[in-house]
Amino acid sequence: MADETEIKDTATEQPDKVDEKTDGEEKENEEQVTGEEDGMPEKPSEDVETLKVELAKITVEAPKVEIPEERFDIENFPQSYRDNLPKESLVLAYAENFRRQYVHLYRDRKPLFLNPLNDCGIEKFVCTTIRPTQLPFKEVYDWDGAAEFVADYLNFEPLNPPTDLPKRLLSPTTILKRQKGNCFEYSTLLCSLLTGNGYDAYVVSGYATKEMCLMDEAREICPMLQKKTQVKQEEKKKETKKYTVKPPKDLRSKFEMKQEARRVADQEAEEAKRKQEEEEKQAELEKPPADPLHGLRIHSWVLVLAGKREVPEGFFIEPFTGLSHPLDTGNYLGIETAWNNQNYWVNMQDCSSGVKGMKYDLGDCTQWEFMFPSSDKPMLLIPDMEEDLDLDDEDEEEEIERHLDMPPSWVLPIKISQRDFEMRCPQGKKTKLYRRAKLEKFAHYLLKDGLISKLAVYDDKELKDLTQVKEFFAHRLDKLHMRVHNHRTGWITEYFHPGRQKCVKEHTYRSSAPGPENDRTMIFYSEARVDGLERREESPAEMTEKFIARDDFLYYSHVIFGKRPKKFAPAETSTARPILKMTVKYHRNPAVAANEDIAELVFNIADEKILMTYHTEDARISASTREFLKPHNAEEKGATLVLTSDMHTTFQVDPNNPSKKSVELYQTMVKLIQREEQCKSKVRESEMEVREVLNDRTKEEVASELEISVYDTERNEKAKKHRKELERLQLEEKMRRQEMEIDYLAPFLAHFGDPTKISRQQAFKLKEECLYDLKKRLIDKANLIQARFEKETEALQKKQQWYQQNQVNMSKDDEEEYVNYCSEMMFRLNIFESRLNRHKEMAPGKYMALEQRIKTDPRMAEYLN
């Protein structure tokens, strides 16, 4: 049955590879002829009804094929897989005795999962199938990394039937090679990794919901979208000292404050109630249909108990998804048994309410019945027997020695290569659907641009209204690691790791205007830049920069641009935006007096003014200011500047301070003019830096170079093949588009000598020939599909007869070849059947669409309408 599921999965994953050329050419010709379906007539004509009747006569029926169970070559496995040691046989006999007593005492319970068949068809105790292993990868040392690796690396196989325990349990090494398995094999592999990493982990056999058993996450929120709960820290109350200054009295009305607080609380309560009603209504709409097998579907997952690896409290791990669930979750409906590599426990608690309220003290004999007395869990003592347990230490040691302990695992050490570990997913990619979200995962170095995961968020459950796309990258030379595209607002935000030129950390811009001199925000690694730039915000008319930890105490710069004047010049030469106003701000310099320390400089270039504001002194509430009018020849080189009394204005906060002399004012004005030129040059440098960053980003997106080790020659070759494959696909797409642009009436107009204008008789003749030709090709295509289906069916039946005759004398290779042949033929037959059904549904619409297109064709519309 597992092979049938594999065939279905293959049918969904592989492309239509049957008769690609013929079917593709016919499909393209039909698209050329049919065209758009706008304005289709409501009632089909008699020809359409005739076409439907003729197509209904053509039927196909796929034969039923019994695929034998997947088998493995015993010679490829070591001796521990093919035989049982004497101690293993003793454990199996012990387990059989335990099973008989269990069946005798609890006749209404499900059978125990004790000794399934292994890879070679040999019975093995489930506890010995767990092989504690610690892989040499730091990513899987913690439980979440190990669970995510198992969920991504394997493809799941559902239990068949879903209400029975599996008869076979493959080893973790075989599961890693096959990259697929059922829930018990998932859990065994994950428990082996967790136990090897020091966790107190157990494999659990029980019952779960349909969504958990079939790995249906369409109604679950994507883990990457779930908000992490932050623990709020309580604010420490300040200790009021005896001689501290009392705060000013609060003169607000306490009654009004209470009324306002009550009004706000009522609004918040109403809003919370409204949101809760909407969520309940939405949950009711998205509630899954009733499952007739609810509570009967068998499932396996992993239990991690507290104590080891600093785990504060126990939790479940769903092996299919790699996510954790609390012990009182409603996704699991009951537990039958649990086991690890040391012991086997049977649950004796009531599971009528699911797993809620269950206790996981495995040493409590009243709640968990263990198989082997040598349990590492502390056992609870029975009160009536406490007096009889006062034994000597020697007697206890002799009693312990008589207990049967667990034999070592028969499974080979779990190993995985670096290449396979980096692939993570089968074929290097996996797609998961969540509620209003789709997550795609890719192996590292699989895609040329370094994309490792892509999260698409939608506004509807049909996944059509796209709202946001998050892309995650790795190993990129440009240090890009995440890109967020908000399709609602049109903003794109790129995040970079340290190490880039220009030290860009974040870059936010509009997708409709990615070029320079547009709305954008850049955040930099200020500690890695010489100028200490931390943020730059730009718009078509303004630019703002913020700095951190500069020696000159500069922390803010703001520029206002004007519109470019219209000039008659070549298109290649572009003039810079004129600067109207510049503002720079400085922090307080403690080495300079406050009334001499500049706090803000405003260069009003349009009005030719310079306003200088000093820092406010501690004992003052306002700051001193000084304003200068620039001389008319200030921008001339070598010109003599003149300062008159009406060209400057001073506001002195402290009238006792001595006023500056004219020479000092003149020198101050000259320095301010020089500083204005310096500010202008820095603004132009900032504009140039923005252009350089954008040019670099354009080149990087085109090249998309990845960091590859010099020793990894195989991966470099793979990247070259991937690039050539993309170029080939682009060329095929280009050729296909060119062929689609051909006129659909060209073959029929050739019979009339390609006239420039069509007559009435020719128009009706063209319509008749076009419709007849399409009808003939539609019927011929249906007959062709039926003929090929019958041919493939006949070949499959002959192969089945051959298998029945030679089944006894067949080798392992011949049997595998037969299985692969049956899988391939069933895939082809399913494709033929689905094509024929789809062809029957679309043929009448194509005929009516062509008829409508001919009527609306401008060359024949005047005659046909």
Side-chain angles (χ1 to χ4, degrees):
M1 292 299 179
D3 295 328
E4 295 181 4
T5 309
E6 182 179 353
I7 295 174
K8 295 178 181 179
D9 294 339
T10 326
T12 58
E13 293 175 0
Q14 297 183 1
D16 296 353
K17 54 184 180 181
V18 183
D19 302 310
E20 293 178 350
K21 184 175 180 181
T22 307
D23 192 21
E25 292 176 356
E26 293 173 356
K27 184 177 180 181
E28 292 176 2
N29 294 333
E30 292 171 12
E31 290 178 353
Q32 296 170 10
V33 176
T34 55
E36 301 177 354
E37 300 184 1
D38 297 333
M40 288 171 44
E42 297 181 356
K43 296 183 179 179
S45 59
E46 296 181 359
D47 294 336
V48 176
E49 296 295 339
T50 306
L51 176 62
K52 289 182 179 180
V53 172
E54 294 180 2
L55 290 175
K57 298 177 181 178
I58 305 173
T59 58
V60 294
E61 184 178 356
K64 296 182 179 180
V65 180
E66 295 184 0
I67 304 297
E69 187 180 10
E70 182 182 7
R71 298 178 182 176
F72 302 95
D73 190 359
I74 301 179
E75 301 298 329
N76 295 333
F77 294 95
Q79 193 68 25
S80 61
Y81 283 66
R82 294 178 284 177
D83 297 321
N84 283 322
L85 297 174
K87 195 170 185 179
E88 289 181 308
S89 301
L90 182 60
V91 168
L92 289 177
Y94 194 93
E96 178 62 21
N97 183 33
F98 184 86
R99 186 192 64 80
R100 290 178 180 177
Q101 297 181 35
Y102 175 82
V103 172
H104 177 71
L105 295 175
Y106 307 101
R107 298 179 181 276
D108 57 340
R109 293 189 62 172
K110 287 278 189 178
L112 300 178
F113 190 62
L114 289 172
N115 50 350
L117 303 179
N118 72 342
D119 316 46
C120 300
I122 304 299
E123 287 188 358
K124 294 287 184 178
F125 190 48
V126 289
C127 295
T128 60
T129 309
I130 299 176
R131 179 62 185 260
T133 306
Q134 184 175 0
L135 296 179
F137 306 107
K138 62 180 182 180
E139 292 84 357
V140 297
Y141 182 67
D142 295 328
W143 71 265
D144 50 353
E148 183 181 4
F149 168 73
V150 173
D152 292 343
Y153 193 78
L154 304 179
N155 277 335
F156 96 103
E157 294 178 336
L159 296 177
N160 192 7
T163 57
D164 293 343
L165 292 169
K167 298 180 180 179
R168 184 175 69 173
L169 180 64
L170 301 180
S171 63
T173 54
T174 304
I175 293 303
L176 286 176
K177 293 178 182 179
R178 296 174 72 237
Q179 284 195 277
K180 58 183 178 180
N182 56 38
C183 55
F184 287 88
E185 294 161 346
Y186 265 76
S187 301
T188 302
L189 174 59
L190 179 57
C191 187
S192 301
L193 299 181
L194 294 178
T195 306
N197 291 338
Y199 286 96
D200 192 10
Y202 305 84
V203 178
V204 177
S205 174
Y207 309 94
T209 59
K210 178 181 178 181
E211 288 74 20
M212 299 297 285
C213 297
L214 300 181
M215 203 173 71
D216 184 8
E217 300 178 272
R219 295 179 179 87
E220 300 293 332
I221 300 176
C222 180
M224 300 178 67
L225 297 177
Q226 293 179 356
K227 297 181 180 179
K228 297 182 179 180
T229 56
Q230 298 180 353
V231 180
K232 295 184 179 179
Q233 297 181 354
E234 296 182 357
E235 298 181 356
K236 296 182 179 180
K237 296 182 178 180
K238 296 182 179 180
E239 297 180 358
T240 57
K241 296 181 180 180
K242 184 177 180 181
Y243 297 102
T244 54
V245 179
K246 294 182 179 180
K249 292 184 178 181
D250 190 1
L251 301 179
R252 294 178 296 176
S253 173
K254 294 183 179 180
F255 175 76
E256 292 181 354
M257 293 173 61
K258 289 182 180 180
Q259 291 294 102
E260 181 67 20
R262 184 180 300 175
R263 186 181 62 82
V264 173
D266 293 342
Q267 291 180 355
E268 292 178 355
E270 291 179 0
E271 183 69 18
K273 183 178 180 181
R274 185 184 62 81
K275 288 183 178 180
Q276 184 178 1
E277 291 178 354
E278 290 181 357
E279 292 177 358
E280 292 177 355
K281 184 178 180 180
Q282 188 67 24
E284 186 67 24
L285 293 176
E286 297 180 358
K287 187 177 180 180
D291 182 17
L293 299 179
H294 183 75
L296 301 177
R297 295 181 181 271
I298 293 179
H299 190 55
S300 177
W301 62 95
V302 175
L303 166 66
V304 178
L305 294 181
K308 297 183 179 180
R309 287 294 304 272
E310 299 180 357
V311 177
E313 58 182 359
F315 58 91
F316 293 132
I317 300 178
E318 173 54 41
F320 283 162
T321 61
L323 302 178
S324 64
H325 298 273
L327 296 180
D328 58 349
T329 179
N331 294 321
Y332 301 123
L333 307 178
I335 294 178
E336 289 284 353
T337 56
W339 65 90
N340 61 1
N341 60 321
Q342 296 178 351
N343 209 335
Y344 190 94
W345 292 269
V346 179
N347 179 30
M348 309 303 295
Q349 303 175 67
D350 182 20
C351 294
S352 57
S353 301
V355 296
K356 295 181 179 179
M358 284 189 57
K359 298 181 180 180
Y360 297 92
D361 183 7
L362 301 182
D364 189 353
C365 304
T366 61
Q367 298 175 350
W368 294 90
E369 182 69 33
F370 56 84
M371 180 178 292
F372 298 96
S374 58
S375 173
D376 60 340
K377 297 295 178 183
M379 297 172 53
L380 295 179
L381 299 179
I382 302 176
D384 299 339
M385 301 295 293
E386 289 183 359
E387 298 178 358
D388 299 337
L389 293 177
D390 189 11
L391 303 176
D392 296 337
D393 295 340
E394 296 179 359
D395 297 339
E396 291 181 0
E397 293 179 0
E398 292 178 359
E399 184 70 21
I400 292 175
E401 290 178 358
R402 288 196 295 268
H403 290 165
L404 178 64
D405 59 346
M406 188 68 64
S409 177
W410 54 271
V411 180
L412 288 175
I414 301 175
K415 296 181 181 179
I416 184 171
S417 63
Q418 179 73 27
R419 175 183 175 84
D420 293 338
F421 179 77
E422 291 179 353
M423 288 297 291
R424 297 302 293 264
C425 309
Q427 287 89 37
K429 54 185 177 181
K430 179 174 282 190
T431 303
K432 294 184 178 182
L433 300 179
Y434 298 94
R435 185 173 68 180
R436 295 184 175 88
K438 181 174 71 172
L439 177 62
E440 299 176 79
K441 293 185 177 182
F442 305 93
H444 290 226
Y445 295 103
L446 179 66
L447 300 182
K448 182 182 176 182
D449 58 353
L451 183 67
I452 58 174
S453 61
K454 180 179 180 181
L455 176 63
V457 183
Y458 298 84
D459 199 25
D460 57 340
K461 58 183 179 180
E462 290 82 11
L463 304 183
K464 294 181 180 180
D465 189 6
L466 185 63
T467 60
Q468 189 184 68
V469 175
K470 288 186 178 181
E471 297 175 315
F472 300 87
F473 303 88
H475 313 293
R476 287 188 58 132
L477 284 176
D478 57 5
K479 307 300 180 182
L480 176 68
H481 69 91
M482 185 171 68
R483 180 190 292 129
V484 180
H485 186 183
N486 193 324
H487 287 260
R488 295 292 192 192
T489 60
W491 285 96
I492 298 177
T493 304
E494 298 175 335
Y495 300 85
F496 302 90
H497 285 304
R500 271 187 62 88
Q501 291 184 351
K502 313 298 182 184
C503 305
V504 180
K505 183 179 181 180
E506 296 181 18
H507 181 202
T508 304
Y509 59 93
R510 291 188 180 274
S511 58
S512 58
E517 300 181 6
N518 288 301
D519 293 333
R520 74 181 65 256
T521 300
M522 290 185 179
I523 300 177
F524 301 87
Y525 291 97
S526 58
E527 63 276 4
R529 289 181 64 101
V530 179
D531 57 356
L533 179 61
E534 186 265 341
R535 186 184 187 90
R536 178 184 289 133
E537 298 177 0
E538 186 182 10
S539 66
E542 296 181 5
M543 183 169 64
T544 304
E545 294 179 334
K546 296 179 181 179
F547 304 87
I548 295 178
R550 281 179 62 109
D551 296 336
D552 58 356
F553 300 96
L554 176 67
Y555 73 92
Y556 179 83
S557 175
H558 179 70
V559 185
I560 299 178
F561 299 98
K563 295 183 179 179
R564 286 188 177 89
K566 296 183 180 180
K567 295 183 178 180
F568 296 97
E572 298 179 357
T573 61
S574 59
T575 58
R577 292 178 292 179
I579 301 175
L580 301 181
K581 185 179 180 181
M582 296 184 298
T583 303
V584 290
K585 296 180 181 180
Y586 300 87
H587 283 302
R588 178 76 172 89
N589 184 4
V592 182
N595 58 352
E596 296 293 334
D597 189 13
I598 300 176
E600 182 181 15
L601 282 176
V602 179
F603 301 101
N604 197 333
I605 300 176
D607 298 337
E608 296 185 350
K609 293 181 180 180
I610 301 176
L611 177 62
M612 182 168 52
T613 305
Y614 296 95
H615 280 280
T616 305
E617 296 179 358
D618 296 337
R620 307 292 180 181
I621 61 174
S622 60
S624 302
T625 60
R626 200 180 301 275
E627 184 178 4
F628 291 91
L629 293 177
K630 291 172 55 178
H632 64 279
N633 58 347
E635 297 181 358
E636 297 179 4
K637 293 183 179 180
T640 303
L641 303 180
V642 179
L643 176 63
T644 59
S645 59
D646 58 343
M647 294 177 61
H648 76 279
T649 305
T650 303
F651 170 71
Q652 193 82 14
V653 176
D654 189 358
N656 298 324
N657 288 338
S659 59
K660 289 189 176 183
K661 298 180 181 180
S662 300
V663 178
E664 295 176 344
L665 295 174
Y666 179 81
Q667 293 175 354
T668 303
M669 183 189 70
V670 173
K671 291 180 180 179
L672 291 176
I673 293 175
Q674 294 175 356
R675 186 173 292 188
E676 180 182 337
E677 294 298 326
Q678 294 175 1
C679 290
K680 284 183 179 179
S681 61
K682 290 181 181 178
V683 170
R684 299 307 179 191
E685 291 176 2
S686 298
E687 291 182 314
M688 183 60 65
E689 185 181 38
V690 172
R691 292 190 180 91
E692 292 177 358
V693 171
L694 297 182
N695 292 335
D696 292 342
R697 289 295 303 125
T698 303
K699 295 177 182 178
E700 290 163 357
E701 288 299 321
V702 173
S704 297
E705 297 182 4
L706 304 179
E707 293 178 344
I708 301 177
S709 174
V710 293
Y711 305 103
D712 195 354
T713 57
E714 183 179 359
R715 178 164 285 126
N716 289 333
E717 186 66 25
K718 182 180 178 180
K720 294 178 183 178
K721 292 181 180 180
H722 183 66
R723 183 168 58 252
K724 291 180 180 180
E725 182 67 13
L726 289 179
E727 293 176 355
R728 185 184 65 82
L729 294 176
Q730 290 179 357
L731 181 61
E732 291 180 356
E733 181 68 14
K734 184 179 179 181
M735 297 290 294
R736 189 183 67 83
R737 291 180 179 179
Q738 291 179 355
E739 293 177 359
M740 290 178 62
E741 295 177 356
I742 302 175
D743 185 12
Y744 70 100
L745 290 178
F748 304 98
L749 289 174
H751 297 297
F752 300 98
D754 294 328
T756 56
K757 189 175 182 181
I758 301 175
S759 62
R760 184 181 183 87
Q761 183 179 2
Q762 291 175 344
F764 282 98
K765 186 68 174 176
L766 281 172
K767 176 184 176 182
E768 182 181 353
E769 291 182 358
C770 284
L771 295 177
Y772 175 77
D773 182 74
L774 176 61
K775 180 179 178 181
K776 183 176 180 300
R777 284 192 294 111
L778 291 175
I779 297 175
D780 291 345
K781 182 177 180 179
N783 290 323
L784 178 63
I785 296 175
Q786 183 189 27
R788 291 178 178 174
F789 181 88
E790 294 174 353
K791 181 179 178 181
E792 299 291 344
T793 304
E794 183 179 357
L796 178 59
Q797 292 174 352
K798 290 182 180 179
K799 193 69 175 181
Q800 288 178 331
Q801 294 177 0
W802 173 84
Y803 176 75
Q804 296 295 336
Q805 296 174 359
N806 304 297
Q807 184 176 5
V808 180
N809 302 324
M810 287 180 64
S811 63
K812 179 64 177 179
D813 296 337
D814 294 338
E815 187 173 351
E816 289 182 356
E817 183 180 356
Y818 170 73
V819 171
N820 295 333
Y821 178 81
C822 291
S823 301
E824 179 70 18
M825 294 302 295
M826 288 300 300
F827 167 73
R828 296 166 69 91
L829 292 177
N830 289 335
I831 293 299
F832 279 130
E833 185 177 1
S834 60
R835 281 186 178 179
L836 182 58
N837 294 333
R838 185 171 179 269
H839 179 68
K840 289 181 179 180
E841 295 176 359
M842 298 180 62
K846 292 179 179 180
Y847 188 92
M848 297 168 67
L850 177 61
E851 185 178 10
Q852 182 65 21
R853 184 174 181 181
I854 293 175
K855 291 181 179 180
T856 57
D857 193 299
R859 293 170 290 185
M860 299 182 293
E862 57 178 334
Y863 305 115
L864 300 179
N865 293 329

